[in-house]
Amino acid sequence: MPNIIFYPQKFILPHGLTVQGKSGKTILDIALSNKINMEHACEKSCACCTCHCIIRKGFFSLSPCQEKEEDLLDKAWGLEKYSRLGCQARLGNEDIEVEIPLYHVNHVNEQ
C-alpha cells in the first residue's frame, strides 16, 4: 500500500500526517478515514472544488483527471499545475505527498 504524506495545514492538520492508503481509494476518502477534516461541500459528487489539493509528489501515479474535474479545478483558489480534487484523484501504487490549501472557494480563514 502506498504512503500518503499530508503536509501540515495550520487549521485542520497542524502537524501533518503520514498514512497508508489502498490503491483505488480517493485522497478525500483516505483523509476522512484518518480524521483529517478535509472540506467536501458537495459530498464527493464532483460538483464543487472545496476538496482541492496540490500533489507535491506522485502526481502521475494518480488516476487520470477527467473533463468534469478539470472544469471545476478552473474555479479553485490557488490552482497549480499539479492540483487535483481530493474526491476524484484515486491512488495508484506509488507514494504521494499532498498539500491542502488554506483557502477554498467557500471558505477563507483569516486567523
Side-chain angles (χ1 to χ4, degrees):
M1 283 199 285
N3 289 315
I4 302 92
I5 298 169
F6 289 95
Y7 287 8
Q9 200 263 27
K10 89 179 193 182
F11 299 109
I12 64 170
L13 192 62
H15 304 292
L17 185 66
T18 299
V19 298
Q20 287 192 322
K22 186 177 178 184
S23 296
K25 291 286 192 182
T26 66
I27 293 171
L28 179 59
D29 284 336
I30 292 164
L32 295 174
S33 68
N34 285 280
K35 297 182 175 42
I36 300 171
N37 197 17
M38 196 169 168
E39 185 69 38
H40 54 288
C42 71
E43 295 299 321
K44 308 180 208 176
S45 66
C46 196
C48 72
C49 57
T50 58
C51 64
H52 168 233
C53 55
I54 303 160
I55 310 305
R56 297 294 182 199
K57 182 179 176 188
F59 180 84
F60 295 105
S61 71
L62 298 171
S63 61
C65 192
Q66 301 297 315
E67 185 176 348
K68 187 174 180 180
E69 179 183 1
E70 289 175 354
D71 290 345
L72 285 171
L73 279 169
D74 286 340
K75 299 173 186 172
W77 284 16
L79 181 67
E80 293 191 16
K81 181 177 181 177
Y82 298 115
S83 288
R84 291 295 304 267
L85 296 181
C87 69
Q88 299 300 300
R90 295 187 179 277
L91 289 183
N93 295 315
E94 294 179 29
D95 295 349
I96 64 169
E97 296 180 9
V98 179
E99 179 181 342
I100 302 169
L102 291 177
Y103 312 106
H104 56 76
V105 70
N106 291 344
H107 187 248
V108 176
N109 284 315
E110 295 182 8
Q111 298 175 348

